[in-house]
Amino acid sequence: MNRNTYYIFTGIIALILVGILWWSIEIGNPLPIEIAFVLGVVLIYLIRSRISSIIEDERYSRITEKAAVRTLEVFWVIFFASSIGAFVTSLDKHPFPPPIPRGPAGGFPIRMFGLVQLILLCTMIFLYVGFRIYYSRKYGEWDTDEE
Amino acid sequence: MKNKIRVHRAIHEITQEDLAAAVRVSRQTILAIEKGKYIPSLDLAFRIANYFRVPLEELFIYEEVNED
């Protein structure tokens, strides 16, 4: 299998997952998308292991390693800051002077945590992709040849 | 780190693709090493030197650089 076939399979799996996500929302049950996501990732790893052309050598590993470390270095700060925010909110202490009552809808609804987690996850992915592009350029991933 | 891989490839009349296959890396890695954008590990450097049957110091010239 070549690399392009792998990318096509990955795209198809992603589309199927989007469909299952939509279906899960429709039926109001998170289990199908949770199971499908894990299966999808396993399937992608299996397909990836069948690529015949060499794509993962030491330079590739170096790019991955550097991008992952930088992502972690930046992301933990964002994650820590948002976690502190959530912790402070969870204490539910009333400031002085007490706030104007906003009715039963006031406060942070628990269902919003899923959205916050998704935003954080997307932030992490964007950070990783950004650093990956930076280090790929640095280590000549897209350089052209004079041959 | 400077290197003479391109010169030795020219002497042996082999392509980057051939060398990459012989030392089990991607062609892009050979290109990056030749351009000085990537410093190979000691293991890979020895594999390339062994392939050309030259000492390591003949192929790679050390220059102190600020990595990162």
Side-chain angles (χ1 to χ4, degrees):
Chain A
M1 181 190 295
N2 63 29
R3 210 189 298 195
N4 286 342
T5 316
Y6 163 70
Y7 289 137
I8 290 167
F9 272 117
T10 307
I12 291 168
I13 291 167
L15 282 175
I16 292 169
L17 284 178
V18 170
I20 295 172
L21 171 69
W22 191 262
W23 181 57
S24 278
I25 293 168
E26 284 290 319
I27 63 171
N29 184 359
L31 206 59
I33 185 59
E34 286 171 349
I35 293 169
F37 184 77
V38 174
L39 289 178
V41 171
V42 170
L43 200 60
I44 286 171
Y45 275 113
L46 282 176
I47 295 168
R48 191 187 169 91
S49 66
R50 289 177 177 271
I51 300 174
S52 51
S53 58
I54 300 168
I55 57 163
E56 289 192 26
D57 56 14
E58 61 172 54
R59 187 183 56 89
Y60 184 91
S61 301
R62 178 105 172 138
I63 292 168
T64 307
E65 177 192 307
K66 286 253 185 187
V69 168
R70 287 286 179 271
T71 303
L72 194 64
E73 280 175 354
V74 175
F75 183 71
W76 86 263
V77 178
I78 299 168
F79 188 70
F80 199 91
S82 65
S83 298
I84 289 171
F87 173 70
V88 170
T89 308
S90 71
L91 289 177
D92 201 24
K93 291 275 185 190
H94 293 297
F96 186 79
I100 300 161
R102 278 181 280 174
F108 190 74
I110 193 78
R111 59 167 47 177
M112 287 298 284
F113 278 110
L115 185 66
V116 171
Q117 278 184 342
L118 265 182
I119 291 167
L120 285 172
L121 188 66
C122 287
T123 307
M124 189 171 76
I125 291 167
F126 278 118
L127 278 173
Y128 180 74
V129 169
F131 282 123
R132 182 137 201 130
I133 290 168
Y134 172 77
Y135 284 109
S136 292
R137 281 174 63 94
K138 185 179 174 184
Y139 292 121
E141 182 68 22
W142 299 296
D143 278 6
T144 48
D145 211 348
E146 298 99 50
E147 266 188 339
Chain B
M1 181 91 76
K2 284 184 177 175
N3 67 76
K4 296 180 186 168
I5 294 175
R6 192 173 285 267
V7 175
H8 282 272
R9 270 199 313 106
I11 293 168
H12 288 79
E13 292 182 338
I14 59 160
T15 62
Q16 288 174 341
E17 196 79 55
D18 296 334
L19 178 60
V23 296
R24 301 186 305 280
V25 293
S26 66
R27 189 187 66 84
Q28 209 61 30
T29 297
I30 298 296
L31 176 62
I33 295 169
E34 282 186 358
K35 285 193 164 187
K37 285 202 164 184
Y38 174 68
I39 299 170
S41 68
L42 207 51
D43 180 61
L44 178 57
F46 268 110
R47 288 211 303 270
I48 297 169
N50 283 348
Y51 179 81
F52 290 124
R53 297 179 190 281
V54 290
L56 199 62
E57 59 270 25
E58 159 72 25
L59 207 56
F60 294 95
I61 301 108
Y62 179 70
E63 283 179 337
E64 207 158 319
V65 285
N66 196 7
E67 235 301 280
D68 206 66

